[in-house]
Amino acid sequence: ERDKSTLFTAEIRAEIDAHIAKYPPEWKQSAVMPALTIVQDANGGWLTTELMDDVAAYLDMPAVSVYEVASFYGMYDLEPQGRHKVCVCNSISCLLQGSEELIEHVEHKYGVRPGETTEDGRFTFKEVECLGACRHAPAVLLDKTYHENLSPESLDKLIDELE
Ligand code: FES
């Protein structure tokens, strides 16, 4: 059996166990998404192959299935990230309410295109699918916090506050 990576600590396993406990034992693979979130958070916001392999082994599932989940959902990142993540929704409601303007603004002001990280490492800029906040479009997910009804100015203010 392969060794677990050093990041896959007892503490992390305990956090994952809390999710596994919500399902019958034969369904522990249902915890794959929270498990990936837990290891991603512990690793500065991105998933290494090694960590995905740890999750696969821990949940007794094929590694390839874990990779599939991790590449399908926009909240997982497979490359090193900035200290923060600024995710602008580009689905229809937000587009109609000006998310394009937000995206262009960030591109010009901070010199990053979607998927890129600012030179100072402060944030990674992402375009994402509907965040479920369409009623108050345009919406942005900043790390784990949702912000709604944004204008370029109010988004700037949020970005300015990032360390
Ligand atoms: Fe942007 Fe739904 S379309 S939050």
Side-chain angles (χ1 to χ4, degrees):
E1 199 187 298
R2 60 183 287 281
D3 287 336
K4 293 182 189 70
S5 58
T6 44
L7 251 171
F8 204 68
T9 58
E11 200 184 0
I12 283 186
R13 294 197 295 275
E15 274 186 65
I16 296 174
D17 286 346
H19 290 277
I20 291 176
K22 297 176 188 167
Y23 306 99
E26 65 274 26
W27 284 79
K28 69 175 171 183
Q29 299 168 352
S30 306
V32 63
M33 292 185 64
L36 287 174
T37 302
I38 290 165
V39 295
Q40 173 165 280
D41 288 348
N43 189 47
W46 70 290
L47 292 165
T48 60
T49 306
E50 204 183 19
L51 280 170
M52 291 188 279
D53 290 346
D54 288 335
V55 167
Y58 201 62
L59 299 180
D60 291 327
M61 60 193 286
V64 65
S65 310
V66 176
Y67 304 159
E68 274 169 15
V69 172
S71 26
F72 183 79
Y73 292 98
M75 68 268 216
Y76 303 118
D77 289 295
L78 305 179
E79 287 165 22
Q81 301 289 297
R83 292 191 294 285
H84 301 277
K85 291 182 194 178
V86 176
C87 306
V88 179
C89 171
N90 69 355
S91 291
I92 189 70
S93 303
C94 287
L95 277 180
L96 292 173
Q97 295 296 325
S99 66
E100 196 122 300
E101 203 188 332
L102 296 182
I103 290 165
E104 279 169 16
H105 177 75
V106 173
E107 287 182 342
H108 289 136
K109 175 151 184 189
Y110 299 95
V112 274
R113 300 186 52 83
E116 293 178 351
T117 300
T118 54
E119 250 170 51
D120 59 5
R122 190 147 63 117
F123 69 91
T124 300
F125 179 43
K126 295 173 70 178
E127 269 184 66
V128 294
E129 304 276 310
C130 182
L131 293 166
C134 326
R135 281 201 198 185
H136 304 285
V140 168
L141 178 64
L142 206 163
D143 295 326
K144 305 239 168 197
T145 313
Y146 292 91
H147 298 274
E148 301 167 340
N149 281 324
L150 287 167
S151 63
E153 296 72 29
S154 52
L155 178 58
D156 260 353
K157 214 168 151 245
L158 294 172
I159 292 177
D160 279 347
E161 284 164 9
L162 300 176
E163 309 247 305

